[in-house]
Structure formats: structure tokens, C-alpha cells
Amino acid sequence: MIGILGGTFDPVHYGHLRVALDVKEIFGLTEVRLIPSAIPPHREQPAASALMRSEMLALAVKNQPGLRVDARELDRPGASYMVDTLYSLRQDFPAQALLLFIGTDAFNHLTDWYRWRDLFDYAHLVVMTRPGITMQKIDGFFNGRLARNKQELAQAIAGKLFFQTVTQLDISATAIRRMIAEKQNPGFLLPDAVIAYIKQNKLYETEET
Ligand code: ATP
């Protein structure tokens, strides 16, 4: 089984890296692919270029076997739709279960995603919840796909929905960018190699508007 964690990673931080490791171990995944979104369709465009965001990711996972950067969205023109990314991964891995991990916030807006129902043709969807938060009510389309336990995910290569609690570190890329613009030290929120890269390339030095 292969895990997929998409995001803007502007920049990658320990919140992302810890959940990647969590889900790798919880689901016994062969690998987790961190996929930087080249042109995110549903939000403001990132401050750092897609290439720089994927270089920061590569530095972050360098010594972590099982976590890898997948830069396939960088080669596609136009908005980076997850359904296209999953289709492309499915071509590479025709027989393996794919697990797409998304945060609760993203799940709450899933029905706004381009061709969201088709995501389930290519992958299982795993919603990463916070400890102590009870699952919100789901119905209809989602209810019929709900897996009762994680073992069910291994029985098909796609099509199921599952909720999994993961470690929540109170870290966000937005807060890190703001700290850097305000000349505060972001140490221990993200890997040192990423901090060095940010400094070298003078990223995030001006406040966002
Ligand atoms: P921004 O602050 O720029 O919105 P972000 O820190 O939320 O960025 P994204 O790249 O948008 O990071 O997130 C990618 C994925 O990682 C999403 O599924 C998101 O829910 C999850 N994620 C982000 N931060 C954390 C965190 N601290 N703990 C657990 N999951 C996180």
C-alpha cells in the first residue's frame, strides 16, 4: 500500500512530517509520497515556487526511508487537480492500494474539488482527524464507502473512506512564513536544512498581504 500526502508545503514543517510517519506506521505502508501542489486550485498561490517547495521537501525527507517527494504535478500545466494526480499514480501502480490522506478541513470542502467522486475510483480516502475530535456526521455517498477498520483497506485497491487519528502538532506554514517575515526564529518547527534553504534563498522575508 502506498500513501499520498498532497499539500502546498510552503514550507514543509514537522506537522506534515510527523503525520507522514504516523500514517506510514499505522497502515504499514511501503512508502508515503509527499506531493507538492504546483498550482493549487482552491487557495491563494504559494509564496515559494513549486520547484523550491519540492526542493525543501527533498531536504526534509532525505534521511527518512519510506518518505519520498513526488514532483509529478510540476510537469503538468494548469491547475493541479488531485484526481489527475491519482489517475497518473494509478498508471504507475496498477495493482497496489493507494491511500490518499487529507486533513479534516480539506474533507469538509471535498465536494468542491474537481471530479471529487472520481477520487474513489483511484484511491481510498483517509481523513486525518485530531485526537479527541469526534467524527462529523457523514451521509449518502460517503456512508456507503465507510470502512469499519483499517484491515478493510487492504481488501481493495481503492474506493473506501476511513477516519484515522494522527498526531497534531500546532504548526502551520502560514505561522512560519509570518515568523520569518517578522525576523523571529522558526527553529524546532521545521528541519534545520529547510531553514538554511529558506535563508539562502531569502524566502518569506516580506509580509504577505
Ligand atoms: P498553510 O498554513 O500555508 O495553509 P499548512 O501548514 O496547513 O499550510 P498544507 O501544505 O496546506 O500545510 O497541508 C498539507 C496537508 O498537511 C493537509 O492535509 C493538512 O491538513 C496537513 N497538515 C498541515 N499542518 C498540519 C499539522 N500541524 N498537523 C497535522 N497535519 C497537518
Short mmCIF file of all heavy atoms in Angstrom, two decimals, residues 5-10 13 15-16 19 43 101-104 128 166-175 177, ligand 1:
data_model
loop_
_atom_site.label_atom_id
_atom_site.label_comp_id
_atom_site.label_asym_id
_atom_site.label_seq_id
_atom_site.Cartn_x
_atom_site.Cartn_y
_atom_site.Cartn_z
N LEU A 5 0.31 12.15 0.35
CA LEU A 5 0.00 13.34 1.14
C LEU A 5 0.27 14.55 0.27
O LEU A 5 1.43 14.86 -0.04
CB LEU A 5 0.89 13.34 2.40
CG LEU A 5 0.62 14.39 3.45
CD1 LEU A 5 -0.78 14.27 4.03
CD2 LEU A 5 1.65 14.28 4.59
N GLY A 6 -0.80 15.18 -0.17
CA GLY A 6 -0.66 16.37 -1.00
C GLY A 6 -0.69 17.62 -0.14
O GLY A 6 -1.19 17.59 0.98
N GLY A 7 -0.15 18.70 -0.66
CA GLY A 7 -0.20 19.95 0.09
C GLY A 7 0.57 21.03 -0.65
O GLY A 7 1.16 20.75 -1.70
N THR A 8 0.55 22.23 -0.09
CA THR A 8 1.37 23.27 -0.73
C THR A 8 2.80 23.20 -0.19
O THR A 8 3.72 23.54 -0.90
CB THR A 8 0.76 24.67 -0.51
OG1 THR A 8 0.28 24.75 0.82
CG2 THR A 8 -0.38 24.91 -1.45
N PHE A 9 2.96 22.80 1.07
CA PHE A 9 4.29 22.67 1.65
C PHE A 9 5.11 23.94 1.45
O PHE A 9 6.20 23.92 0.89
CB PHE A 9 5.02 21.44 1.09
CG PHE A 9 4.27 20.16 1.27
CD1 PHE A 9 3.70 19.49 0.19
CD2 PHE A 9 4.07 19.61 2.54
CE1 PHE A 9 2.98 18.30 0.36
CE2 PHE A 9 3.36 18.43 2.72
CZ PHE A 9 2.81 17.77 1.63
N ASP A 10 4.56 25.04 1.92
CA ASP A 10 5.12 26.38 1.66
C ASP A 10 5.48 27.06 2.99
O ASP A 10 4.86 28.09 3.31
CB ASP A 10 4.07 27.18 0.88
CG ASP A 10 4.61 28.50 0.33
OD1 ASP A 10 5.83 28.60 0.16
OD2 ASP A 10 3.80 29.41 0.08
N HIS A 13 6.87 21.40 7.17
CA HIS A 13 7.23 21.54 8.59
C HIS A 13 6.97 20.22 9.33
O HIS A 13 6.49 19.26 8.73
CB HIS A 13 6.46 22.71 9.22
CG HIS A 13 4.97 22.66 9.04
ND1 HIS A 13 4.18 21.70 9.61
CD2 HIS A 13 4.12 23.46 8.31
CE1 HIS A 13 2.92 21.91 9.28
NE2 HIS A 13 2.85 22.96 8.47
N GLY A 15 4.74 19.36 11.38
CA GLY A 15 3.34 18.92 11.39
C GLY A 15 3.12 17.93 10.25
O GLY A 15 2.57 16.84 10.45
N HIS A 16 3.58 18.30 9.05
CA HIS A 16 3.45 17.41 7.88
C HIS A 16 4.27 16.13 8.06
O HIS A 16 3.80 15.03 7.77
CB HIS A 16 4.01 18.08 6.61
CG HIS A 16 3.41 19.39 6.25
ND1 HIS A 16 4.17 20.51 6.04
CD2 HIS A 16 2.12 19.76 6.05
CE1 HIS A 16 3.38 21.53 5.71
NE2 HIS A 16 2.13 21.10 5.72
N VAL A 19 2.89 13.53 10.62
CA VAL A 19 1.73 12.75 10.17
C VAL A 19 2.13 11.77 9.07
O VAL A 19 1.60 10.66 9.01
CB VAL A 19 0.50 13.59 9.72
CG1 VAL A 19 -0.05 14.42 10.85
CG2 VAL A 19 0.76 14.41 8.51
N ARG A 43 -6.93 27.76 -3.39
CA ARG A 43 -6.40 28.69 -2.40
C ARG A 43 -5.49 29.70 -3.08
O ARG A 43 -5.21 29.60 -4.26
CB ARG A 43 -5.64 27.95 -1.31
CG ARG A 43 -4.56 27.02 -1.87
CD ARG A 43 -3.73 26.39 -0.79
NE ARG A 43 -2.85 27.38 -0.18
CZ ARG A 43 -2.32 27.24 1.02
NH1 ARG A 43 -2.60 26.19 1.76
NH2 ARG A 43 -1.52 28.16 1.51
N PHE A 101 -4.37 10.73 1.86
CA PHE A 101 -4.60 11.30 3.19
C PHE A 101 -4.95 12.77 3.07
O PHE A 101 -4.24 13.52 2.41
CB PHE A 101 -3.33 11.13 4.04
CG PHE A 101 -3.03 9.69 4.35
CD1 PHE A 101 -2.17 8.96 3.55
CD2 PHE A 101 -3.67 9.06 5.41
CE1 PHE A 101 -1.92 7.62 3.81
CE2 PHE A 101 -3.43 7.71 5.68
CZ PHE A 101 -2.55 6.99 4.88
N ILE A 102 -6.03 13.17 3.73
CA ILE A 102 -6.37 14.59 3.75
C ILE A 102 -6.79 15.01 5.17
O ILE A 102 -7.28 14.18 5.95
CB ILE A 102 -7.48 14.98 2.74
CG1 ILE A 102 -8.81 14.31 3.07
CG2 ILE A 102 -7.09 14.66 1.31
CD1 ILE A 102 -9.97 14.87 2.26
N GLY A 103 -6.59 16.27 5.48
CA GLY A 103 -6.98 16.78 6.80
C GLY A 103 -8.49 16.94 6.88
O GLY A 103 -9.19 16.95 5.86
N THR A 104 -9.00 17.09 8.12
CA THR A 104 -10.44 17.25 8.31
C THR A 104 -10.96 18.49 7.60
O THR A 104 -12.05 18.46 7.01
CB THR A 104 -10.77 17.39 9.82
OG1 THR A 104 -9.88 16.57 10.55
CG2 THR A 104 -12.18 17.00 10.12
N MET A 128 -7.56 12.48 8.16
CA MET A 128 -6.74 12.53 9.36
C MET A 128 -7.39 13.46 10.37
O MET A 128 -7.53 14.66 10.13
CB MET A 128 -5.35 13.05 9.02
CG MET A 128 -4.66 12.23 7.94
SD MET A 128 -3.03 12.86 7.54
CE MET A 128 -3.41 14.42 6.74
N VAL A 166 -4.41 11.14 14.05
CA VAL A 166 -2.95 11.27 13.90
C VAL A 166 -2.45 12.33 14.88
O VAL A 166 -3.24 13.08 15.46
CB VAL A 166 -2.55 11.67 12.46
CG1 VAL A 166 -2.88 10.59 11.46
CG2 VAL A 166 -3.20 13.00 12.06
N THR A 167 -1.14 12.38 15.05
CA THR A 167 -0.54 13.39 15.92
C THR A 167 -0.80 14.78 15.36
O THR A 167 -0.59 15.01 14.17
CB THR A 167 1.00 13.20 15.96
OG1 THR A 167 1.28 11.85 16.25
CG2 THR A 167 1.64 14.12 16.99
N GLN A 168 -1.27 15.69 16.19
CA GLN A 168 -1.47 17.07 15.72
C GLN A 168 -0.48 17.97 16.42
O GLN A 168 -0.56 18.17 17.63
CB GLN A 168 -2.88 17.54 16.03
CG GLN A 168 -3.93 16.99 15.09
CD GLN A 168 -3.87 17.62 13.70
OE1 GLN A 168 -3.49 18.77 13.56
NE2 GLN A 168 -4.24 16.87 12.69
N LEU A 169 0.47 18.47 15.71
CA LEU A 169 1.37 19.47 16.25
C LEU A 169 0.82 20.82 15.83
O LEU A 169 0.39 20.98 14.69
CB LEU A 169 2.79 19.26 15.68
CG LEU A 169 3.40 17.88 15.96
CD1 LEU A 169 4.74 17.74 15.25
CD2 LEU A 169 3.57 17.66 17.45
N ASP A 170 0.82 21.76 16.74
CA ASP A 170 0.23 23.06 16.42
C ASP A 170 1.21 23.91 15.62
O ASP A 170 1.78 24.87 16.12
CB ASP A 170 -0.18 23.75 17.74
CG ASP A 170 -1.00 25.00 17.47
OD1 ASP A 170 -1.41 25.21 16.31
OD2 ASP A 170 -1.21 25.78 18.42
N ILE A 171 1.43 23.49 14.37
CA ILE A 171 2.38 24.17 13.49
C ILE A 171 1.67 24.42 12.18
O ILE A 171 1.00 23.53 11.67
CB ILE A 171 3.61 23.27 13.21
CG1 ILE A 171 4.28 22.82 14.52
CG2 ILE A 171 4.61 24.00 12.31
CD1 ILE A 171 5.42 21.83 14.32
N SER A 172 1.80 25.62 11.63
CA SER A 172 1.26 25.85 10.29
C SER A 172 2.28 26.62 9.47
O SER A 172 3.08 27.40 10.01
CB SER A 172 -0.06 26.62 10.35
OG SER A 172 0.18 28.00 10.55
N ALA A 173 2.26 26.37 8.17
CA ALA A 173 3.18 27.06 7.26
C ALA A 173 2.92 28.57 7.30
O ALA A 173 3.86 29.37 7.23
CB ALA A 173 3.02 26.50 5.85
N THR A 174 1.64 28.94 7.43
CA THR A 174 1.30 30.37 7.50
C THR A 174 2.02 31.04 8.67
O THR A 174 2.63 32.11 8.51
CB THR A 174 -0.22 30.55 7.68
OG1 THR A 174 -0.88 29.85 6.62
CG2 THR A 174 -0.63 32.01 7.65
N ALA A 175 1.98 30.40 9.84
CA ALA A 175 2.63 30.97 11.02
C ALA A 175 4.15 31.04 10.82
O ALA A 175 4.79 32.02 11.22
CB ALA A 175 2.29 30.15 12.25
N ARG A 177 5.78 31.36 7.92
CA ARG A 177 6.10 32.46 6.98
C ARG A 177 6.03 33.80 7.70
O ARG A 177 6.87 34.68 7.48
CB ARG A 177 5.11 32.45 5.80
CG ARG A 177 5.25 31.24 4.88
CD ARG A 177 4.50 31.45 3.56
NE ARG A 177 3.06 31.66 3.73
CZ ARG A 177 2.15 30.69 3.82
NH1 ARG A 177 2.52 29.42 3.76
NH2 ARG A 177 0.87 30.97 3.95
P1 ATP B 1 -0.80 26.89 5.19
O1 ATP B 1 -0.59 27.40 6.59
O2 ATP B 1 0.04 27.59 4.15
O3 ATP B 1 -2.24 26.76 4.80
P2 ATP B 1 -0.31 24.13 6.08
O4 ATP B 1 0.75 24.20 7.14
O5 ATP B 1 -1.72 23.93 6.56
O6 ATP B 1 -0.19 25.39 5.14
P3 ATP B 1 -0.54 22.41 3.73
O7 ATP B 1 0.58 22.27 2.79
O8 ATP B 1 -1.71 23.21 3.29
O9 ATP B 1 0.10 22.98 5.11
O10 ATP B 1 -1.03 21.00 4.28
C1 ATP B 1 -0.87 19.78 3.62
C2 ATP B 1 -1.55 18.68 4.44
O11 ATP B 1 -0.96 18.57 5.75
C3 ATP B 1 -3.04 18.95 4.70
O12 ATP B 1 -3.72 17.72 4.57
C4 ATP B 1 -3.10 19.44 6.13
O13 ATP B 1 -4.32 19.10 6.75
C5 ATP B 1 -1.93 18.70 6.78
N1 ATP B 1 -1.32 19.46 7.88
C6 ATP B 1 -0.82 20.70 7.84
N2 ATP B 1 -0.34 21.09 9.03
C7 ATP B 1 -0.54 20.07 9.87
C8 ATP B 1 -0.26 19.84 11.28
N3 ATP B 1 0.33 20.76 12.04
N4 ATP B 1 -0.60 18.64 11.81
C9 ATP B 1 -1.20 17.71 11.04
N5 ATP B 1 -1.49 17.84 9.73
C10 ATP B 1 -1.17 19.00 9.14
#
